[in-house]
Amino acid sequence: MEQYKYKTPSLEVKKKLEGLYIQNEELKNLHNEITKTIDQVEQISEYSLGHKERLQYHSGHKQNRK
C-alpha cells in the first residue's frame, strides 16, 4: 500500500473505483426502497390487526347483548 500511496491511480483502477461507487449508490437506493416497503407492510399489518380486533369486539359485544 505504501508504494502506491503517492502514485496516481491508473485509468483501470479509476474505472473500477467509479464502478464500485455507482454500485454502492445503487445498493443504498435499493436499501432505502426496501426499508420503505417494510415500513408500509408493517403499517398495513398493524392496521389490519387493529381492524380484526375491532371486528371481534363488535361481534362479541353484539352476542353479549342478545
Side-chain angles (χ1 to χ4, degrees):
M1 286 297 283
E2 285 299 313
Q3 69 185 17
Y4 297 109
K5 191 174 183 178
Y6 299 105
K7 290 185 178 182
T8 305
S10 68
L11 184 59
E12 181 182 344
V13 170
K14 286 182 182 181
K15 285 185 178 187
K16 284 182 181 180
L17 287 173
E18 185 178 306
L20 290 173
Y21 176 78
I22 291 170
Q23 286 178 346
N24 187 46
E25 290 300 311
E26 289 172 353
L27 288 172
K28 283 180 185 179
N29 291 337
L30 285 172
H31 177 264
N32 289 337
E33 287 180 36
I34 290 169
T35 302
K36 286 178 185 176
T37 302
I38 289 171
D39 289 344
Q40 290 173 344
V41 168
E42 287 176 348
Q43 288 176 355
I44 291 168
S45 178
E46 289 173 9
Y47 174 79
S48 180
L49 286 173
H51 185 68
K52 182 178 178 181
E53 289 172 1
R54 285 191 299 275
L55 288 175
Q56 288 174 347
Y57 171 77
H58 288 300
S59 64
H61 186 66
K62 287 179 185 176
Q63 289 176 357
N64 289 338
R65 290 195 310 190
K66 288 183 181 179

